Amino acid sequence: MPAQTVTVLLVHGAFAESASWNPVLARLRAESVDAVAVANPLRSVSGDAAYLRDVIAGIGTPVVLVGHSYGGMVITEAAADNDSVVGLVYAAAFAPESGESAFELSSRFPGSTLGDVLVTSPVPTGDEFRIRPESFHQQFVADGSEADAQLMALTQRPVTEVALAQGLPTNAPAWKQLPSWFVFGDQDRNIPVEALRFMAERAQSKGTREVAGASHAISIGAPDQVTAAILDAVGVAR
């Protein structure tokens, strides 16, 4: 019997965009793994997850969902009671319980400096946030080059306050039913490393990689380790 075709869907978080997955995409392609980087709207957990569910339906194969940062909120919601999803990878990402928000989880443990570097702009649905460009390198991707950080700062996509404040809608977080893997850095300035460890342990992670010196932008600073976690998930799914 041929191996089951599995597609990896990579979901970026706040202050990033789909090209932030390029180093991981290149490595997955080298391993002949089908993968797509999804443009996450960053408007609300419920709305972003509904969009991701549409993407999953359009792919037409079983999928492994990979979320970065706030993208973890989205994959957790989109995978709930979704038979097409066969595994989850949380890359420096939130793995929420029902009702928990990104704001709540990032403040449960000390260490995040994100609030000090945000710029707020009004939008019709409330406010949205972006990271001050001059602070982006140290806050988001301290282990990347200054040139790369400058470009990422200019292409960052803002996230709404609604998205960060909305608790996970589903009563059945997907990590309770699906095998999940975790990879994150110990120098994350957005989500405290203690929060990341807590969520991995709570989800009974099938495999956790904690990368020494890695920043929040784990797909940039540690693409080999992120790819390895994804390959573990794909291998189980097949």
Side-chain angles (χ1 to χ4, degrees), residues 28-45:
L28 291 174
R29 284 171 59 87
E31 297 291 336
S32 299
V33 174
D34 292 334
V36 176
V38 178
N40 187 0
L42 305 178
R43 301 295 90 182
S44 70
V45 176

Side-chain angles (χ1 to χ4, degrees), residues 13-127:
F15 321 116
E17 42 85 41
S18 54
S20 62
W21 290 110
N22 283 355
V24 174
L25 279 169
R27 286 161 173 78
L28 291 174
R29 284 171 59 87
E31 297 291 336
S32 299
V33 174
D34 292 334
V36 176
V38 178
N40 187 0
L42 305 178
R43 301 295 90 182
S44 70
V45 176
S46 53
D48 298 342
Y51 172 70
L52 180 55
R53 282 192 289 268
D54 287 344
V55 174
I56 294 168
I59 291 292
T61 72
V63 299
V64 167
L65 297 182
V66 184
H68 173 240
S69 192
Y70 164 78
M73 302 286 301
V74 178
I75 68 170
T76 303
E77 178 70 16
D81 299 317
N82 191 330
D83 292 339
S84 294
V85 183
V86 294
L88 303 167
V89 179
Y90 292 90
F94 295 108
E97 177 60 272
S98 179
E100 291 179 342
S101 70
F103 273 153
E104 178 186 353
L105 285 167
S106 61
S107 61
R108 184 173 297 179
F109 298 87
S112 176
T113 57
L114 179 61
D116 299 332
V117 300
L118 292 180
V119 176
T120 305
S121 301
V123 294
T125 55
D127 289 328

Side-chain angles (χ1 to χ4, degrees), residues 156-191:
Q156 67 173 299
R157 295 184 57 203
V159 63
T160 66
E161 183 177 14
V162 170
L164 297 180
Q166 184 181 8
L168 187 75
T170 182
N171 290 321
W175 49 262
K176 290 188 175 182
Q177 287 83 37
L178 294 170
S180 303
W181 288 258
F182 287 73
V183 54
F184 51 85
D186 66 359
Q187 296 301 309
D188 194 316
R189 297 183 181 183
N190 280 27
I191 307 174

